[in-house]
Amino acid sequence: MSIFTAIYLLGISACGIQGAEKAKQKNTTFMQALMSMFFSSFAGGIIRDVFILRIWPAVLTIDSILDIMVAILSGSIYLLTSRNDKINKAIKAFSKVADICGLGTFIAIGVNKGVSNHSAPFVVLVCGIVTSLGGGLISSLICNDTIKGVFASALKYRLLTILGTILYTYLVYVDVLVTDAQTMVILYTVISLSLCNITLRNRWPSSSKILWTYDKLNFESLFVVKINLCIVANRSIPPIKKMFTLEIYHHRQYRQGKKFNLHTYRKTSRIMSI
């Protein structure tokens, strides 16, 4: 087994875990969970083969039995250990690392498949994008997510994936060795997505201390407006920030210590750095 194949299997296992996680969050049936694991891992390749290249799907061949077993087994282990927080966190951490590493292999496989079928450069590029992103979109739809919600989420991840596909397609057409091109796109996905994850993790404050609070009843005692002056310790630079937070609560829910329903009323809470 080559290193490229091993990294690809890591990516497949990550997709299976992500499909299981989506199914768990939406409280789907067992059959939907299995479908989510399968399509999260292979829907991109199926769409590429059937609708773009018009060939028999590679996943429905004997050579893909190991891939299917890895995806289903990984997702099943995640669901079976969902009550154990420590194991669950470890599996999620593994899934993130495996997904970052495996994404480059999905891009390479999609582009190589288009090139081997003598497709036009634009079609080759689309093959790489669909192979790497199609599974996540289809599994989200299977788990009852809305189309708007599916396409509006993880935009940075998708943008970096598209840029990686463009990079690999360019390397292939300028006659760079396939192994070198695969190595470069894997390094690209690992570095870019790791930096993206670090940025997103440091975006939100890790702790805060309220220095001053002002409460006032408004709208004929239907709402409570609460203004906090906070000092926030953040991992990013600078380490200390002052922030104003404006929060609006429904009066009855405020007495119970609950935030008002953002789905019923328009969202008015916001945070402003000063």
Side-chain angles (χ1 to χ4, degrees):
M1 179 185 294
S2 65
I3 296 177
F4 182 80
T5 304
I7 296 174
Y8 167 73
L9 291 177
L10 283 176
I12 288 294
S13 66
C15 291
I17 293 169
Q18 290 168 2
E21 186 177 2
K22 292 176 184 178
K24 178 187 172 184
Q25 291 174 350
K26 296 295 182 178
N27 295 320
T28 60
T29 63
F30 177 71
M31 185 57 65
Q32 280 181 303
L34 285 178
M35 291 177 62
S36 180
M37 296 177 209
F38 178 82
F39 284 108
S40 180
S41 304
F42 306 109
I46 293 173
I47 295 171
R48 176 201 67 215
D49 291 343
V50 175
F51 296 102
I52 300 177
L53 300 179
R54 298 182 181 181
I55 59 176
W56 184 257
V59 71
L60 300 182
T61 60
I62 298 178
D63 296 337
S64 298
I65 291 178
L66 176 62
D67 303 348
I68 297 173
M69 291 177 61
V70 169
I72 300 300
L73 183 61
S74 300
S76 300
I77 291 174
Y78 173 82
L79 292 177
L80 292 173
T81 59
S82 59
R83 295 184 179 181
N84 191 314
D85 291 337
K86 290 184 178 180
I87 297 178
N88 214 238
K89 288 180 180 179
I91 293 176
K92 285 184 178 180
F94 163 79
S95 173
K96 290 180 180 179
V97 175
D99 179 54
I100 290 174
C101 296
L103 178 62
T105 64
F106 295 154
I107 292 172
I109 288 172
V111 171
N112 292 342
K113 195 82 171 181
V115 171
S116 64
N117 281 269
H118 308 289
S119 302
F122 178 74
V123 177
V124 170
L125 180 65
V126 172
C127 286
I129 294 172
V130 169
T131 303
S132 52
L133 296 178
L137 298 176
I138 299 300
S139 63
S140 296
L141 293 175
I142 290 173
C143 294
N144 303 323
D145 277 349
T146 62
I147 296 177
K148 181 179 179 181
V150 169
F151 284 96
S153 61
L155 293 179
K156 286 187 178 181
Y157 178 90
R158 291 170 190 166
L159 177 60
L160 292 173
T161 302
I162 292 172
L163 292 176
T165 309
I166 294 173
L167 170 65
Y168 185 78
T169 305
Y170 170 77
L171 293 174
V172 168
Y173 277 100
V174 296
D175 295 328
V176 176
L177 291 176
V178 174
T179 54
D180 293 342
Q182 290 172 352
T183 303
M184 291 179 67
V185 75
I186 291 173
L187 288 175
Y188 162 80
T189 56
V190 170
I191 294 172
S192 61
L193 291 177
S194 297
L195 291 175
C196 181
N197 287 335
I198 291 172
T199 303
L200 292 175
R201 187 171 66 247
N202 289 338
R203 181 179 175 183
W204 304 108
S206 56
S207 61
S208 63
K209 181 181 179 181
I210 297 178
L211 303 180
W212 173 79
T213 300
Y214 169 75
D215 294 1
K216 183 178 180 181
L217 295 177
N218 277 329
F219 308 110
E220 298 179 354
S221 299
L222 290 178
F223 296 92
V224 174
V225 177
K226 183 177 180 181
I227 301 175
N228 300 323
L229 173 61
C230 304
I231 186 167
V232 180
N234 200 312
R235 296 174 184 171
S236 61
I237 298 174
I240 300 297
K241 289 184 179 180
K242 292 181 179 179
M243 306 181 78
F244 278 119
T245 65
L246 173 62
E247 302 172 1
I248 295 183
Y249 300 83
H250 190 273
H251 185 47
R252 293 178 181 176
Q253 293 178 334
Y254 181 72
R255 288 180 175 177
Q256 300 172 1
K258 299 178 180 179
K259 287 187 177 180
F260 80 113
N261 191 343
L262 292 179
H263 299 289
T264 303
Y265 306 99
R266 62 179 182 174
K267 186 176 180 180
T268 50
S269 300
R270 57 181 178 270
I271 299 177
M272 298 175 290
S273 300
I274 58 171

